[in-house]
Amino acid sequence: MITAPLLPSPPLPGHLLVAADAAAAAAVVAERLEQALQRGAVLGLATGRTMEPVYAALRGRLLALAPAERAPLLARWRSFNLDEYVGLAADHPGSFAAFMRQQLADPLALAPRCLQLPDGVAADPDQEARRYAAALQAAGGIDLQLLGLGSNGHVGFNEPPCGPEAPCRCLELSTATRRQNAAAFGGDPAAVPAWAITLGTAEILAARVLLLVVTGEAKAEILRRTLLEPPCPEVPASWLQRHPRLQVVVDRAAAAALPPG
Ligand code: GLP
């Protein structure tokens, strides 16, 4: 594993860690998540394929703890997910609520109140977005925000174009994103909900620490644009460069388009 702190020319924002592969990256991220839980941090959690090995590694770490150590840690778990599809109830297999139940809540026997997500079937999605943002604020905001990277540069579901001050809101998903996420809906992009509720770039950038995880060759070019091009609305994740405590964990394949260092 190679760690490359702030490279000279051109300077990379944040702190970059390049792991050998996705499993090694997941192991590093899971360790940081466990440390944050030990500190009683409010976690911001993400979904997507990138997070599956991360959550597997986190489950492994937590289930390996002695019950007397694990129980209090899980009892004070507080997390807010980035986003949810509009129109999907929590028991729909394609919902992010179902993903979180499968990945973390069920295997760890977490109380449902520990993991919060926007309600995809709220009668008024705009009002639900405002309620969710207020609940997050009432919890004191996010201490550690875990983030993946969309192939089109989205973060959470902040689709391009998007500035750095977008609030938590209900928005229409791009065709590219619906295509990218079709696997969870039998491979049919038309079956992917057209709308979602997402934390905005405003809430994401307000988190105390950001932990961006990117793996795989297919994300190499968008990762380069995210980290190295001037921040712009066409790559919403590029606003993360402005965060003073951005940590980036990638595998070698995703780092392929970054300058060597
Ligand atoms: C999804 C989620 C994002 C996620 C991204 C990447 O649509 N809304 O939070 O980070 O797209 O997904 P994946 O890890 O499957 O590539």
Side-chain angles (χ1 to χ4, degrees):
M1 199 171 296
I2 315 149
T3 47
L6 290 168
L7 294 174
S9 168
L12 278 174
H15 182 278
L16 175 72
L17 187 148
V18 182
D21 54 26
V28 170
V29 175
E31 184 180 6
R32 293 191 189 168
L33 289 171
E34 186 192 337
Q35 288 164 351
L37 285 167
Q38 299 279 11
R39 292 193 301 270
V42 175
L43 299 180
L45 295 180
T47 52
R49 280 149 291 195
T50 311
M51 299 306 156
E52 289 178 9
V54 169
Y55 293 149
L58 181 61
R59 290 194 303 269
R61 293 185 72 93
L62 297 176
L63 293 172
L65 295 174
E69 195 183 346
R70 183 168 68 239
L73 192 143
L74 296 184
R76 60 171 189 261
W77 179 300
R78 281 178 306 160
S79 65
F80 288 82
N81 265 73
L82 280 166
D83 42 23
E84 180 59 284
Y85 291 112
V86 168
L88 297 192
D91 61 359
H92 188 290
S95 71
F96 290 155
F99 178 94
M100 295 308 291
R101 241 186 352 263
Q102 188 187 60
Q103 295 287 319
L104 293 174
D106 285 353
L108 296 173
L110 285 165
R113 63 176 162 73
C114 292
L115 280 125
Q116 301 207 40
L117 295 97
D119 178 2
V121 289
D124 180 341
D126 296 312
Q127 194 186 321
E128 170 59 9
R130 289 191 292 273
R131 181 206 64 80
Y132 192 62
L136 173 57
Q137 195 147 29
I142 291 165
D143 293 307
L144 177 65
Q145 176 66 62
L146 182 62
L147 297 165
L149 178 63
S151 299
N152 65 349
H154 76 212
V155 62
F157 264 143
N158 291 280
E159 298 279 38
C162 178
E165 286 164 4
C168 181
R169 66 205 183 285
C170 175
L171 85 176
E172 191 169 10
L173 297 176
S174 68
T175 309
T177 292
R178 293 177 74 198
R179 210 180 307 120
Q180 194 198 329
N181 288 4
F185 296 86
D188 178 11
V192 179
W195 295 76
I197 295 173
T198 184
L199 290 183
T201 45
E203 287 85 9
I204 291 170
L205 290 170
R208 285 158 202 104
V209 176
L210 301 182
L211 184 49
L212 174 66
V213 190
V214 187
T215 54
E217 199 185 348
K219 302 256 179 90
E221 176 55 17
I222 194 66
L223 177 66
R224 186 195 65 74
R225 292 180 66 195
T226 295
L227 295 180
L228 292 177
E229 289 194 352
C232 65
E234 286 65 43
V235 183
S238 63
W239 300 115
L240 305 181
Q241 291 180 31
R242 292 191 171 175
H243 196 283
R245 296 183 69 193
L246 169 64
Q247 301 177 2
V248 187
V249 179
V250 304
D251 65 358
R252 271 197 203 122
L258 299 179

